[in-house]
């Protein structure tokens, strides 16, 4: 399960992190243990590994299940806007020194072959329930079937 955050964000990112924490907590059972979460920063120039570690501690991220990804800005931008098919744009500053980075509030479900299996609106509780259901299915089956019909 992939989502997008940045540590200086004071709007959607804390909410996304809380929802990721909730997913982590709801999948503590043996059948959910295979579900992994990755939060990718959209502010890689600021979000160092240590800042992301501190951010993760606030949400009780379990290192073996929930990882935080940063790297060179060009590589992170290419990953987010390329294979992960989402956007990230700086839209001025929201307060002194804090950028307003517009990015997706969606969760992506990705299988072991790095194929996007589903996109889920983080503002829709029913979609988040569906995400958990689909992630459990994927963890249990290894991703043999596609969601939403087809094979």
């Amino acid at each position: 399960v992939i989502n997008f955050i940045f540590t200086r964000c004071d709007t959607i990112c804390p909410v996304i992190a809380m929802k990721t924490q909730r997913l982590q907590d709801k999948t503590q059972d043996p059948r959910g243990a295979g579900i992994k979460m990755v939060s990718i920063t959209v502010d890689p120039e600021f979000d160092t590994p240590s800042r992301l570690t501190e951010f993760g501690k606030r949400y009780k991220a379990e290192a073996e299940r929930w990882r935080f990804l940063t790297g060179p800005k060009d590589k992170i931008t290419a990953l987010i806007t390329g294979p992960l098919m989402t956007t990230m744009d700086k839209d001025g500053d929201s307060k002194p020194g804090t950028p307003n980075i517009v990015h997706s509030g969606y969760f992506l479900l990705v299988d072991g072959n790095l194929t996007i299996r589903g996109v889920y609106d983080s503002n829709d509780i029913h979609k988040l329930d569906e995400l958990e259901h689909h992630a459990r299915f994927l963890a249990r089956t290894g991703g043999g079937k596609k969601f939403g019909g087809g094979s």
Side-chain angles (χ1 to χ4, degrees):
V1 177
I2 297 174
N3 60 52
F4 308 94
I5 54 93
F6 65 107
T7 62
R8 297 187 283 179
C9 176
D10 61 359
T11 57
I12 189 173
C13 301
V15 175
I16 289 172
M18 285 187 296
K19 290 177 180 180
T20 306
Q21 178 185 10
R22 190 173 304 131
L23 177 63
Q24 176 186 256
D25 294 346
K26 288 175 69 176
T27 57
Q28 289 295 329
D29 59 283
R31 295 177 75 168
I35 298 170
K36 309 293 184 199
M37 283 104 3
V38 177
S39 294
I40 302 173
T41 182
V42 295
D43 189 12
E45 293 172 313
F46 182 82
D47 286 340
T48 62
S50 62
R51 284 188 174 117
L52 289 169
T53 297
E54 287 304 311
F55 183 84
K57 285 179 183 176
R58 279 186 259 159
Y59 298 96
K60 299 177 177 68
E62 298 173 9
E64 64 279 356
R65 294 195 57 220
W66 184 3
R67 304 278 175 121
F68 294 85
L69 180 66
T70 190
K73 184 178 183 196
D74 61 329
K75 301 238 187 251
I76 293 292
T77 301
L79 173 66
I80 291 172
T81 61
L84 297 179
M85 300 184 297
T86 193
T87 61
M88 59 180 265
D89 295 306
K90 184 173 179 194
D91 186 25
D93 292 329
S94 58
K95 55 183 166 180
T98 303
N100 182 24
I101 302 174
V102 179
H103 62 90
S104 170
Y106 286 78
F107 285 83
L108 305 177
L109 181 61
V110 178
D111 67 18
N113 295 319
L114 303 178
T115 301
I116 297 173
R117 302 298 292 272
V119 180
Y120 307 83
D121 184 348
S122 67
N123 290 318
D124 184 334
I125 190 73
H126 300 293
K127 290 295 180 186
L128 293 177
D129 288 343
E130 192 175 277
L131 167 62
E132 179 187 350
H133 176 77
H134 289 167
R136 284 178 176 281
F137 175 82
L138 196 60
R140 186 177 70 246
T141 65
K145 296 182 180 179
K146 292 184 181 178
F147 304 120
S151 58

